[in-house]
Amino acid sequence: AAEAEEAALVAWIREGGGSVSALQRVETRDGLRGVFATDAIPNDATLATVPWSHVLAADAQCEAVALLRRELALGARSAYAPYLASMASYAPNMPFLWHPTALDAVARLPPHDWTRHRAWFEEACGAGDLDGDALTRRALELFLPRSVGDADVAFIMCPVFDLYNHRNAGLDNVRIRIRKGEFIEVYAARDVAKGEQLFYSYGDGTPALFRDYAFVEFLPQRWTVGEHEWLILPPPPPGVDDDSLAVPPPPLEWVSVPPSSREAFDASIAPMLGDLVRRVPDPALPAPADDPAFETHLRLALEYRAALAAAIDAARRHLPAADDLAAFAASTGGDAPEEATMHQRHYQPVVSEHQEL
C-alpha cells in the first residue's frame, strides 16, 4: 500500500509540472524505510521540484495547521489528496501527545520541556481541547515533524522532501531551495554514491530530537545534560586498534569543559541520575483502555532512557575517578590538578572545537 501511495504521489507531482528524479528510490532496509540512491548522484543535482500549488504553505504556523486540518477534513475531495494519502499511515508518536503514564517515564529527564508543543499550540493558536478534536490533533502531529521554513519565507509541508530520514555531522546530503510562490527544489548537497541513503538534518541535539520526533538518532549523538554537553562519535573503522582499555568506550568529544572527575560529574547531575537509575518504569504496565498506542510510547520511553544511560556511561568512562587524581598527585608530590586527566591515556578527554555538528 505504501508503494502504491508513493507512486501516486510522484505521478501527482509530475502531472502538476514538477519532477522527481529516478536516481532515488524508497526502500526498506533493516526494518526502516528510507530514500536510497539508485545510481551515483552528483553534487547539486536536483532530486525533486515541487510546484507551489502542490505545497501546503502558510505565513504563520497556526494558519498552516488550520490549513492542513481543513484539507484532512475534505479527505479524498482535497486538492492535496495524494499527499494526504501518503501520510495516512504515518504515526509520529511525539511525547507531548503521550498518555501521562508513558510521559512520566521521561518527564524528569532532559530536555525536560516535553510538553512545549502542546503549550505553544494551546497558547498561540487558541486551541481548545486538543485531545477532543481528532482532526486538529492529527494536523498538529503531522505538521510539527514534517514542516520546514520560517516566518521570513513561509511554513511549508512539501511532499517527497519529507520522506528523507535524519542524520547529522556531514552524513546529511540533501538540501532544499524555496522559491516562494513558484516551487521548491530538493537537491544533493554533495556527491552521493550508488546505494547510499539520502538524509536531511532535522536539527541538533539528541534529547531535543527525541522530544520532537520520537526517535533516538544514530551515532553521532549530541547530548546535553545539565551544564554538560558532549558528542558520542561512531567507532573507528576496522583495523584501528586502541589497547588502552580492554573494552574501550565509544569515541567522545566534550563540547563543554569536561568535569574534573566522574564524581564531580555524578554530583552535578545527581537528581536526574537518581531518577534514571531508581525510577525504572515497568515495561509490563497495563495499557489504558483509551490509548491503543500506550505500549509503543512506553517502549519508546524505555529506549530513550537506555540511550541516555549509555551516553552518561560513555561520558563517565572518559573521565578519571577521584582516586585516580589523588594517586597522580601522590606520585608527583603535589595537589591533584584537573590537568592530571591529560596524563591518563585511559580517560583522556577531548574538548571539541566545534559548537555545531
Side-chain angles (χ1 to χ4, degrees), residues 280-311:
V280 180
D282 181 358
L285 282 172
D290 60 344
D291 189 356
F294 177 80
E295 291 183 4
T296 296
H297 297 162
L298 184 60
R299 173 181 58 78
L300 290 170
L302 292 171
E303 288 176 2
Y304 178 73
R305 291 176 65 96
L308 175 58

Side-chain angles (χ1 to χ4, degrees), residues 250-271:
L252 183 144
E253 291 184 3
W254 287 95
V255 178
S256 61
V257 175
S260 59
S261 67
R262 296 178 197 171
E263 289 79 0
F265 182 50
D266 291 347
S268 67
I269 60 171

Side-chain angles (χ1 to χ4, degrees), residues 10 33 42 51 95 104 151 191 209 232 237 251 279 283 295 321 332 336 338:
V10 170
R33 289 182 69 78
D104 185 64
D191 291 339
L209 284 165
I232 299 180
R279 296 186 68 260
E295 291 183 4
T332 59
E338 291 188 12

Side-chain angles (χ1 to χ4, degrees), residues 301-325:
L302 292 171
E303 288 176 2
Y304 178 73
R305 291 176 65 96
L308 175 58
I312 290 174
D313 179 67
R316 295 182 78 254
R317 293 177 68 189
H318 278 269
L319 295 169
D323 54 1
D324 292 333
L325 291 172

Side-chain angles (χ1 to χ4, degrees), residues 4-90:
E5 291 164 355
E6 287 154 6
L9 178 66
V10 170
W12 175 64
I13 291 171
R14 288 173 176 165
E15 289 167 3
S19 67
V20 179
S21 172
L23 295 177
Q24 58 189 332
R25 180 173 60 217
V26 178
E27 298 179 12
T28 299
R29 298 185 183 181
D30 299 325
L32 296 175
R33 289 182 69 78
V35 183
F36 295 84
T38 59
D39 206 338
I41 301 175
N43 181 38
D44 206 41
T46 298
L47 300 171
T49 54
V50 183
W52 201 255
S53 59
H54 288 48
V55 171
L56 281 163
D59 292 332
Q61 289 176 298
C62 296
E63 182 185 347
V65 176
L67 171 61
L68 178 56
R69 187 194 186 283
R70 289 195 295 271
E71 298 302 328
L72 288 170
L74 289 172
R77 294 179 292 115
S78 169
Y80 301 90
Y83 185 29
L84 301 180
S86 73
M87 298 186 288
S89 62
Y90 178 62

